[in-house]
Every structure is written in structure tokens, then in C-alpha cells.
Amino acid sequence: MDGKPATRKGPDFCSLRYGLALIMHFSNFTMITQRVSLSIAIIAMVNTTQQHALSNASTEGPVADALNNSSISIKESDTKASVYQWSPETQGIIFSSINYGIILTLIPSGYLAGIFGAKKMLGAGLLISSLLTLFTPLAADFGVILVIVVRTVQGMAQGMAWTGQFTIWAKWAPPLERSKLTTIAGSGSAFGSFIILCVGGLISQALGWPFIFYIFGSTGCVCCLLWFTVIYDDPMHHPCISVREKEHIVSSLAQQPSSPRRAVPIKAMVTCLPLWAIFLGFFSHFWLCTIILTYLPTYISTLLHVNIRDSGVLSSLPFIAAASCTILGGQLADFLLYRNLLRLITVRKLFSSLGLLLPSICAVALPFVASSYVITIILLILIPGTSNLCDSGFIINTLDIAPRYASFLMGISRGFGLIAGIISSTATGFLISQVGPVY
């Protein structure tokens, strides 16, 4: 894993592999906007004046509460869009339902992407997710049960799309450029969060909350056309790649250890301690990120007492910092490797530690500075920003230790992360309904 790579350099930012990173950036941008759309729209979708009474009246648990409130809606006079009386427990179930869907497809899609190719797997997932986003407002009118079903199926589609990316990078990313390429692609999630949180409130106020889903669902359909046109599973079959770049990628990847076996070595994986460290890193990372991504608009709206438009703008600031830190972290990690300043294992451990410790410290400090507007905003910006340093740490580490099985292992890793996301979002909604918002 720490062998010295080839010093020959291919074309950099004008190369096809960086173009693929930008397209994958757009794909991640699209998927995260479709996922977060509900988090920003729910402020307008829910009749908040009656939530407290509903949460106190319900004693039969979140599932019973979801059933009892599945058909209750009123009309909002300014946007003429439906407003639903969903309690915090119900909202927690809706938020976590997409994680249930993702976790169902992560492992099988990672395995199948390695066999049949990631292009079709990822493209199909993106298309299904986009169509279901367009259908979400209609599903909400039919009841909360259908919303949960739609979000679950959408999660299954996004699970297919996210996992397949690492199959592509296992064949496209030279070892010295993995951090750069994967962080350029991965930063689309943070940038997408920034855009949806920034403009989602404006769209809701100007056009009504259903247009949040219509706009970003349509964007996903456009992205699908670009994806199926430009993306190929490996550089050997791409019709537009230059001979120089193809030789550079192939020669770089040829130097890394590989196994001729196609069977997945399950026993070796189960007993591999570095893999378990990666799994635990994903669990910790997703626990905090899910809470921030899901409840940040509501947190800012309640704490700072701002309307939906300003809440969305303030909620977007942490994610532009996250996108910047993701890309800069990747550049720094590859710089340290290229200059032989640190070994590969040291770089991965360094960025993993910073990405887990720094946001945790900021999150713990947050309740103690709630009275300070400026410090609260600073900490909220630092949490996602520093957290995304993990993208140059354990998140891409499977490409280093087992590139042949990268998608399969990424599916398992994200499975651990999404288990944390399900628990954290559901538990947060339950705690808010029981003890009220402590912020």
C-alpha cells in the first residue's frame, strides 16, 4: 500500500478523468439536493402551530402516530400548497426512511456493479431517484404512508448510485490522484447541500414548496442524459480518451497489488481489523452528519427565530465550507503523498482523525454558546467543513487496501453509516417530541 508509484504524469485538469470527476460531482450534487429537499420543504409543509399538541397527544409510538395523521392537511393561503400536521416522531420516520432504502441496496449493488459495470447501475439509480422526487408532492397529498414508501424506494435508487462510483474510480483513478478525483466528485454532495439550503427557502416562498421537488427532480433527469452519454466503466473502452492518458492510467494502476480471484473473500474481510476501523469511522461520521443535514434548517429557524427563506440561506453556509474543505483536503493529501512527506497510511490516519475529532468538539460546544449568534453560526459552519476531511481519510481507504472489491466494501461501509443515520435521525425526532427542543 505504501509502494512508490510511477513518477510519470499524465495530463491533469484538462484530462478526461477530471471531466468524469466533474460529471460525478454533478451527479452527487443532484442526488443530495433530492435527498435534502424534504428537510427544507418540511418547514412549510408542516403546520408547526399544532405540532406540540399532536406530539403530546400521541402515546402509541411513532408508527401509530404516522398512521393517525396520514390524511390530515390544510391549505396555506399564500402559496396554495398543502400543509400537513405531522408530529416530530412522524417527521423523524420520514427523514430516516430514505436511509432504510439506501441500506437495502448498498451491499448487493456494490457487488453487482463490480460484475456488470457501474455506468448502468448508477445511471438507473439516478433516474429513478429523480422521477420519485417529481412524484413526492403528489405522494404527500395521498398520505404520509405513501411518502415513506416513496422515500424508501428513492433511497434504494440512491444506494445503487452512490456505491457504483467506487467501481469507476478503481479503474479510472491513478493512486497519486485518488484523493483529488474522489474529493472533486464527492464535494458535489456538500455543494448540493449548499444550493438546496440556500435557494430552497426562496423557491418555497416564491413558488410554493412543491416546486422544490419539481426543480431538482428535473435537474436529475438532465443529469441522467449527461451521465449515459459521457461516462464509461473503464478508460480502455472510452472513445474520446487520448492515448497518453490511457497509458498513464493503465501503467499507474498496474503497479498496485491485485488479486486474480473474482470471489469475494468474506472470511478475510471479517477478520481484517483495518476494515473494521473503516466501518466504525463511517458509523461515527454519518451519525453527526445526518443530524446536521436533517435538522439544521429547523435548528436555525427555531434558535435564531428567522423565516424559511433566511433559515435556508443560513443553513447553506456550512456546506459551502464543506465543499471547499473537501476539495482542499484532497489536494493536500495528494500533495503530501506526491512529495513523499508522509506515508499513505499516515495521511489516511491524519485526515480521518481530524475529520472525526474537530466536528465532534464543535458539536459538543454548540449548546454552550447558544446565546451568541455569531459563535453559533461559526460552529455550524465548522462542523460540516472539518467533517469532510474524512473524504481524504477512511472514506476512500478501501481503494487503497482492496481496489478490486472497493464498491462491495463501500456498500458495507455506507451500510454502517446509514445504520447510524437511521438511529440518529429517528432518535432526534423522538427526543424533540418528548422533551421539546433544548436549543
Side-chain angles (χ1 to χ4, degrees):
M1 188 170 79
D2 290 325
K4 185 178 180 181
T7 57
R8 182 186 176 195
K9 293 285 288 181
D12 286 333
F13 291 104
C14 294
S15 64
L16 184 60
R17 62 188 181 275
Y18 280 90
L20 297 182
L22 290 176
I23 295 174
M24 208 170 292
H25 173 98
F26 186 35
S27 300
N28 287 323
F29 167 93
T30 300
M31 286 189 290
I32 201 66
T33 54
Q34 294 171 359
R35 182 177 181 179
V36 182
S37 293
L38 187 62
S39 294
I40 194 73
I42 201 147
I43 299 175
M45 292 173 70
V46 174
N47 183 19
T48 55
T49 59
Q50 298 185 26
Q51 278 188 20
H52 184 69
L54 283 171
S55 62
N56 288 338
S58 177
T59 59
E60 299 179 5
V63 176
D65 184 73
L67 292 170
N68 291 337
N69 294 286
S70 60
S71 60
I72 302 176
S73 67
I74 60 177
K75 291 290 180 179
E76 188 178 23
S77 59
D78 56 344
T79 62
K80 304 301 182 183
S82 297
V83 177
Y84 309 95
Q85 297 178 9
W86 295 341
S87 70
E89 297 104 312
T90 302
Q91 295 176 50
I93 294 173
I94 295 173
F95 287 143
S96 62
S97 60
I98 194 168
N99 291 329
Y100 287 110
I102 293 175
I103 204 171
L104 289 175
T105 56
L106 276 178
I107 297 177
S109 63
Y111 178 75
L112 294 175
I115 297 177
F116 299 108
K119 176 181 178 178
K120 295 180 180 178
M121 187 80 65
L122 201 155
L126 180 58
L127 179 60
I128 295 171
S129 177
S130 301
L131 295 176
L132 290 176
T133 300
L134 294 171
F135 180 70
T136 299
L138 181 61
D141 284 336
F142 278 95
V144 71
I145 298 299
L146 185 57
V147 174
I148 293 173
V149 172
V150 167
R151 294 281 289 181
T152 301
V153 177
Q154 186 177 26
M156 296 173 67
Q158 293 200 359
M160 293 166 52
W162 272 327
T163 307
Q165 295 184 29
F166 273 70
T167 298
I168 293 178
W169 288 129
K171 298 178 180 179
W172 275 93
L176 286 181
E177 300 176 33
R178 280 175 180 161
S179 297
K180 294 178 184 177
L181 292 169
T182 57
T183 53
I184 289 173
S187 63
S189 296
F191 186 65
S193 300
F194 164 73
I195 293 298
I196 180 63
L197 292 171
C198 185
V199 305
L202 300 176
I203 295 172
S204 179
Q205 281 197 336
L207 303 174
W209 63 261
F211 280 87
I212 300 177
F213 299 97
Y214 298 150
I215 291 174
F216 291 102
S218 301
T219 302
C221 294
V222 173
C223 183
C224 286
L225 296 177
L226 187 62
W227 176 268
F228 284 113
T229 303
V230 179
I231 295 294
Y232 280 74
D233 288 319
D234 61 73
M236 298 300 297
H237 297 92
H238 203 292
C240 300
I241 190 171
S242 66
V243 175
R244 182 188 178 193
E245 183 178 6
K246 183 189 297 184
E247 291 178 351
H248 169 64
I249 295 174
V250 172
S251 62
S252 298
L253 296 178
Q255 299 186 25
Q256 65 184 5
S258 61
S259 170
R261 298 177 303 171
R262 295 193 63 87
V264 179
I266 300 295
K267 182 177 180 181
M269 292 178 179
V270 171
T271 58
C272 181
L273 291 180
L275 274 181
W276 282 104
I278 293 174
F279 297 157
L280 292 177
F282 268 87
F283 186 92
S284 303
H285 178 69
F286 272 66
W287 181 281
L288 180 59
C289 287
T290 302
I291 295 177
I292 294 296
L293 192 62
T294 303
Y295 287 98
L296 184 59
T298 304
Y299 182 91
I300 290 181
S301 177
T302 304
L303 179 68
L304 304 181
H305 306 291
V306 295
N307 58 33
I308 185 173
R309 180 191 62 192
D310 296 333
S311 174
V313 172
L314 289 175
S315 299
S316 69
L317 295 179
F319 295 100
I320 193 63
S324 302
C325 287
T326 300
I327 296 176
L328 293 176
Q331 298 290 323
L332 178 59
D334 280 347
F335 174 81
L336 294 174
L337 293 173
Y338 182 74
R339 297 292 184 180
N340 289 322
L341 299 176
L342 295 174
R343 295 191 306 151
L344 177 59
I345 189 173
T346 306
V347 170
R348 298 297 182 235
K349 288 182 177 179
L350 174 63
F351 280 85
S352 297
S353 300
L354 293 175
L356 290 174
L357 289 175
L358 293 180
S360 299
I361 293 173
C362 294
V364 170
L366 199 56
F368 300 98
V369 298
S371 59
S372 174
Y373 179 98
V374 175
I375 297 179
T376 297
I377 295 298
I378 291 175
L379 289 179
L380 289 174
I381 291 175
L382 288 176
I383 290 174
T386 55
S387 178
N388 276 29
L389 293 175
C390 291
D391 285 22
S392 298
F394 60 81
I395 288 182
I396 65 167
N397 203 201
T398 54
L399 283 173
D400 302 319
I401 64 177
R404 175 179 288 277
Y405 309 108
S407 283
F408 179 75
L409 294 175
M410 177 54 62
I412 299 176
S413 301
R414 284 189 176 273
F416 275 88
L418 290 168
I419 290 173
I422 292 171
I423 297 173
S424 63
S425 60
T426 304
T428 302
F430 176 78
L431 289 174
I432 293 174
S433 69
Q434 296 298 314
V435 303
V438 296
Y439 41 79

